[in-house]
Amino acid sequence: PLVQLLGSTDNALKGSAALALFHLAFNETNQVKIGRAGAIRPLVQLLVDATEELGLFFELDEDEDEWDAYEDEKDAAAELMKHAVGALFKLAANEDNAEKILQADDARALVNVVKMLELPGGESVLAVSGGRNVLEHAAGGLFHFSAFYLPPHAIEPLVEVVKLRASADYDSDNDTLVEYAAGALFRLKSEVRVPMAKSLVIPPLVALLSGTAKQQEYAAGALAYFSGFQGNQPAIQRAGAIRPLVTLLDAGPETSRRRDAAKTLSILAKRNDTNYFNIVGECRLSEGSRALLDEIRAEHWQ
């Protein structure tokens, strides 16, 4: 019955059905049942329609009276979008469902939501009630996909999300959103992420090295991967990665991000004594961290 309601002409009924599916999809067994009941395509269509409708409101002239006249319709479209993207986010945690979402529209509905981070006239869906949750769920859905495939057209919008971390007025309420975007970029398949690394991703990844633990983990892991390609190494240095990587390396007990920081630094120091002495001396690397760096350097470049 809930799946049938997604095709209703009544927006309130469609929204209620999508919200109910969102809550049901917190359960893994329900994720399978909902996917098999045929909910994916109508949810994707619901998201496409709501996103297009909301986008039209943002394209209105900046006339306050005109905007206020459509306030109820705008809020209704935002509510529909929130429920649809939330349901798809939870359903995408199941690999079969994720594949069905990709088959439906190559994840374009979710990517178009992420693109609403920046709208005409400097607006953002973040200004809409529940907008942050909408973006989090869209980026989270793409994060689920990235375990096995992420469409190339998703990369630039995700990079724009990651760039939030480097802005002077960064709001820590966006941490989860940025983590999902960074995680999706980190998990990209190598044939996609190498060509776009230098020009798009490296500077915002360096900014994440000073972020949350998850942001640091994804950024350090991605930089360790990118640094293995010679053409990326100068870009990593120019982006100012050495000092924050050293800070991670000196951060304490063994973690994946600490070893990834050491790996990147060891690659930058490979056969380059100037880099090595800058890392060890100028950055005042501790004895323990220097030992780890030397160990990984020997392990990779013996």
Side-chain angles (χ1 to χ4, degrees), residues 6 11-23 43 46-47 50 75-91 130 133-134 137:
L6 293 174
N11 281 346
L13 284 177
K14 287 194 287 191
S16 296
L19 178 60
L21 291 170
F22 167 65
H23 288 301
L43 279 171
L46 179 58
L47 179 58
D75 288 346
E79 197 74 2
L80 273 177
M81 187 170 70
K82 181 171 71 174
H83 298 331
V85 76
L88 289 169
F89 163 59
K90 285 298 178 184
L91 291 171
N133 285 339
V134 166
H137 289 158

Side-chain angles (χ1 to χ4, degrees), residues 54 58 81 113-119 122-136 160-161 164 167 169-171 173-175 177-178:
L54 187 60
F58 279 103
M81 187 170 70
V113 173
V114 176
K115 286 181 177 179
M116 296 186 84
L117 175 68
E118 294 184 11
L119 291 161
E123 297 285 353
S124 171
V125 75
L126 287 171
V128 176
S129 176
R132 182 174 286 108
N133 285 339
V134 166
L135 286 174
E136 281 181 9
E160 291 305 312
V161 173
L164 284 174
S167 62
D169 56 349
Y170 178 71
D171 186 342
D173 286 344
N174 291 324
D175 280 348
L177 167 62
V178 173

Side-chain angles (χ1 to χ4, degrees), residues 173-223:
D173 286 344
N174 291 324
D175 280 348
T176 301
L177 167 62
V178 173
E179 285 168 8
Y180 278 135
L185 293 171
F186 165 61
R187 293 164 66 180
L188 278 171
K189 298 298 184 185
S190 59
E191 64 270 15
V192 174
R193 59 181 178 169
V194 174
M196 59 84 183
K198 186 162 50 178
S199 59
L200 287 177
V201 179
I202 287 174
L205 282 176
V206 171
L208 292 187
L209 294 173
S210 303
T212 66
K214 272 292 182 189
Q215 291 169 6
Q216 290 174 353
E217 177 186 340
Y218 293 139
L223 288 170

Side-chain angles (χ1 to χ4, degrees), residues 55-168:
L56 290 174
F57 293 120
F58 279 103
E59 291 175 9
L60 291 173
D61 293 334
E62 294 184 10
D63 181 285
E64 191 170 338
D65 292 335
E66 185 178 17
W67 180 264
D68 290 344
Y70 290 99
E71 190 70 27
D72 289 342
E73 289 90 339
K74 175 177 70 69
D75 288 346
E79 197 74 2
L80 273 177
M81 187 170 70
K82 181 171 71 174
H83 298 331
V85 76
L88 289 169
F89 163 59
K90 285 298 178 184
L91 291 171
N94 174 277
E95 189 169 323
D96 287 341
N97 287 338
E99 289 181 358
K100 289 176 183 176
I101 296 170
L102 286 168
Q103 289 168 5
D105 74 338
D106 200 28
R108 291 187 183 280
L110 291 174
V111 172
N112 287 337
V113 173
V114 176
K115 286 181 177 179
M116 296 186 84
L117 175 68
E118 294 184 11
L119 291 161
E123 297 285 353
S124 171
V125 75
L126 287 171
V128 176
S129 176
R132 182 174 286 108
N133 285 339
V134 166
L135 286 174
E136 281 181 9
H137 289 158
L142 296 174
F143 172 74
H144 290 317
F145 298 152
S146 66
F148 57 94
Y149 172 71
L150 188 67
H153 60 85
I155 295 171
E156 288 195 39
L158 288 170
V159 169
E160 291 305 312
V161 173
V162 172
K163 284 181 180 177
L164 284 174
R165 188 64 183 76
S167 62

